[in-house]
Amino acid sequence: MPHGIMTLHEYQRHAVAYALDRLNGPHHGAGLFLEPGLGKTLVSIAVMDILHAADPSTRFLVVAPSLVARNSWPDELEQWRGMHRLDWAVACGTPKRRMAALEADATVTVINQENIAWLDRTVREWPYTHLIVDELGGYKNPNSQRFRILRRRRRRMRGCLGLTGTPAVHDMLDLWAETLLIDNGLDMVPILVRYREEWFQPDRWMNRRIIGWREKPGSRRLILERLEPFCLSMSARDNLPGLPERLDVREWLDMPRDTRDAYERLRRDMLAETPEGIVVTAANAGVLTGKLSQLTSGCLYPDADDPDRRIAHYDDAKLDRLDGIIRDADGPLLVFYGYRDELDRMRARIPGLREIHEDHVLDDWRAGRVPVLAAQPAAAKYGLNIQAGGHEIAWTCLPWSFDDFRQACGRLHRQGQTRPVNVHLLMEEDTVDRMKMLALNRRMSLHDAVMGALKGC
């Protein structure tokens, strides 16, 4: 066994042994459901190194979200060079750079998930023996092009390692496509229609078409029993006893009266008139929910066919409270926002604010030179180890996605953090904010149930 594995934590060595056992077993695949901060990338590097040492003909394709593929994987492969003997190439960026990476014939090829279709078109016979799917939750939609490509290519590979910290972010249907990539249908029902019919029943219809499903009584336990032979979960709470606690502070604010009037009219009539006299409409329930959410952030975006495309400004209630949080914060503050208009208004009023995609900003944040760092959660939830820069978080606009929320908070609440992490949730009473909070709580319960059932021993 390569000497480098001895540098891993005991729980990481357990995850490596588990993955190797399943990859060499009848499933030829393993799911590692490790919460943020537990070192999924490092565990995967150790697994690949051991497999390659046993058989030098092995070749690995690592598929990851763009930011993770371009930064996290090459950074960690380089950082841990002393513990492995892998060579690697990164197939991201321009077509020329991608082709150069393929021509390098490296043991490990890292590619962002957006370029899977390009790789499928460009290379008829993939030389890769093993597939590493980072952030497996990006493949829960079986109709997506990237799932269909990987599903087809996976059949010709020796094994697959699936990595995620949030395997079921909405419901148990999320798990079907994700785990099918891992085990090729050995234990997981290989046909979605059969999977739904066996363990779910319809609960919502539109125009006589089923648009929603709910679990049949007892089906969750049966599904998790199917996954238990090849999926392992690990929580930060169980495996990082020294990890400081995370404290969520719910701050309920009153919506200003003029905004409340617009909010109630929009909710009731599905239209609102902005202070500038422009009428904004909501064509359906989905659009309405989005517009109501904008109003809780103090703005309202125009209809798509509005010739001026001017954003209406209503209030700064949440930003006023944010000023107080910044003033009282014990160190730099990481702020997650929902709308570009929020970011523009924050830039205008907060001295020294930086945005997470600016050049060199992460190095400045880690060095303590950024008092306020702003980020959109969906764009910053993966591949950012910035826990050394601070321990204070604020949300001006909660997301609906549990994955976005959990992973974003995990940028600071992770291994290496030395102080308790305070998460300020700015919400307005009697608005869609409460619906978001309830949805996140429900999905947290689902997450805990899945992770608890797949702990293994």
Side-chain angles (χ1 to χ4, degrees):
M1 184 174 290
H3 69 88
I5 194 170
M6 299 311 296
T7 67
L8 302 180
H9 296 288
E10 182 179 351
Y11 74 85
Q12 292 173 326
R13 292 198 294 271
H14 174 60
V16 170
Y18 181 94
L20 290 171
D21 180 70
R22 271 54 180 185
L23 285 165
N24 291 319
H27 293 90
H28 298 289
L32 296 183
F33 301 164
L34 276 60
E35 288 187 339
L38 292 180
K40 294 189 294 293
T41 306
L42 181 56
V43 167
S44 303
I45 291 171
V47 169
M48 290 189 291
D49 191 41
I50 293 170
L51 289 173
H52 185 252
D55 181 359
S57 70
T58 54
R59 293 290 183 273
F60 304 93
L61 179 68
V62 175
V63 184
S66 183
L67 191 63
V68 181
R70 287 186 287 109
N71 297 312
S72 298
W73 273 93
D75 287 352
E76 295 219 28
L77 282 161
E78 179 62 37
Q79 178 184 349
W80 299 104
R81 182 186 285 274
M83 69 159 278
H84 67 81
R85 291 163 290 184
L86 302 167
D87 59 295
W88 67 91
V90 180
C92 298
T94 65
K96 183 177 180 180
R97 289 180 178 175
R98 282 178 254 149
M99 285 303 304
L102 300 187
E103 291 166 0
D105 191 29
T107 304
V108 179
T109 299
V110 182
I111 191 168
N112 55 312
Q113 58 194 22
E114 294 81 2
N115 279 320
I116 285 297
W118 170 84
L119 182 64
D120 188 53
R121 294 190 306 268
T122 303
V123 182
R124 182 173 180 177
E125 295 292 334
W126 283 9
Y128 316 111
T129 59
H130 291 75
L131 177 66
I132 315 293
V133 184
D134 198 356
E135 301 305 344
L136 190 64
Y139 300 84
K140 63 180 178 289
N141 179 6
N143 296 316
S144 68
Q145 182 184 42
R146 60 191 178 206
F147 169 80
R148 287 186 276 112
I149 291 171
L150 290 188
R151 170 72 176 132
R152 171 167 45 85
R153 294 286 189 167
R154 163 69 176 98
R155 294 189 181 103
R156 296 175 176 267
M157 293 184 176
R158 294 184 210 163
C160 175
L161 185 61
L163 311 172
T164 182
T166 49
V169 298
H170 185 261
D171 55 36
M172 296 297 287
L173 282 169
D174 289 350
L175 292 169
W176 180 79
E178 298 172 2
T179 53
L180 191 62
L181 282 177
I182 297 171
D183 89 322
N184 257 338
L186 184 64
D187 270 324
M188 182 52 66
V189 178
I191 301 173
L192 178 59
V193 172
R194 283 178 49 203
Y195 177 75
R196 283 195 304 226
E197 288 178 349
E198 186 167 350
W199 287 313
F200 298 83
Q201 57 192 29
D203 74 340
R204 282 184 295 143
W205 291 261
M206 179 178 290
N207 297 327
R208 298 184 179 180
R209 184 171 64 89
I210 301 170
I211 61 171
W213 300 79
R214 71 171 180 270
E215 300 167 21
K216 292 179 180 177
S219 63
R220 180 176 298 184
R221 176 180 56 82
L222 296 173
I223 293 171
L224 292 173
E225 285 177 357
R226 289 284 187 101
L227 301 183
E228 192 173 10
F230 63 96
C231 292
L232 174 70
S233 73
M234 290 185 171
S235 70
R237 181 175 57 251
D238 292 340
N239 293 283
L240 297 176
L243 183 68
E245 66 176 340
R246 190 188 97 191
L247 177 63
D248 290 357
V249 182
R250 302 180 183 183
E251 304 204 21
W252 292 102
L253 309 176
D254 290 326
M255 178 177 275
R257 181 167 182 174
D258 289 346
T259 312
R260 174 67 68 182
D261 290 344
Y263 185 96
E264 293 302 328
R265 184 182 179 191
L266 182 60
R267 185 179 61 82
R268 182 183 64 249
D269 302 332
M270 299 187 74
L271 62 86
E273 185 174 337
T274 70
E276 293 81 9
I278 299 170
V279 175
V280 175
T281 60
N284 54 53
V287 174
L288 175 63
T289 302
K291 297 289 188 185
L292 294 176
S293 181
Q294 292 165 18
L295 282 171
T296 66
S297 295
C299 63
L300 191 60
Y301 279 67
D303 292 340
D305 58 356
D306 185 277
D308 295 330
R309 300 294 297 156
R310 185 168 49 177
I311 300 169
H313 176 242
Y314 280 83
D315 68 73
D316 284 327
K318 289 186 176 180
L319 299 192
D320 291 342
R321 177 63 194 116
L322 184 63
D323 286 343
I325 294 172
I326 294 171
R327 188 169 54 249
D328 298 335
D330 183 19
L333 182 70
L334 174 60
V335 180
F336 290 109
Y337 63 90
Y339 301 100
R340 182 74 193 189
D341 180 69
E342 289 179 287
L343 176 63
D344 292 341
R345 284 183 281 143
M346 284 192 290
R347 282 190 183 280
R349 66 188 285 163
I350 301 174
L353 179 139
R354 303 278 299 278
E355 211 271 330
I356 204 160
H357 292 298
E358 295 178 21
D359 291 340
H360 310 299
V361 70
L362 298 185
D363 290 336
D364 290 341
W365 164 266
R366 294 185 188 103
R369 295 191 291 268
V370 180
V372 180
L373 181 63
Q376 212 283 337
K381 64 182 180 179
Y382 300 137
L384 297 177
N385 294 316
I386 56 175
Q387 63 273 27
H391 64 104
E392 300 271 1
I393 297 173
W395 288 82
T396 62
C397 183
L398 284 180
W400 288 100
S401 167
F402 172 73
D403 188 42
D404 286 0
F405 180 75
R406 177 84 172 189
Q407 296 276 8
C409 291
R411 297 313 93 203
L412 297 189
H413 191 241
R414 61 193 297 114
Q415 189 169 201
Q417 178 58 258
T418 60
R419 306 187 66 179
V421 175
N422 299 314
V423 182
H424 302 268
L425 310 176
L426 303 186
M427 299 175 287
E428 294 189 328
E429 285 280 9
D430 299 321
T431 69
V432 71
D433 283 347
R434 184 171 291 278
M435 295 168 59
K436 292 180 182 180
M437 185 84 270
L438 293 173
L440 292 175
N441 288 341
R442 286 195 301 271
R443 289 161 188 173
M444 183 67 193
S445 297
L446 172 65
H447 171 80
D448 287 345
V450 172
M451 298 294 279
L454 301 176
K455 278 185 179 181
C457 297

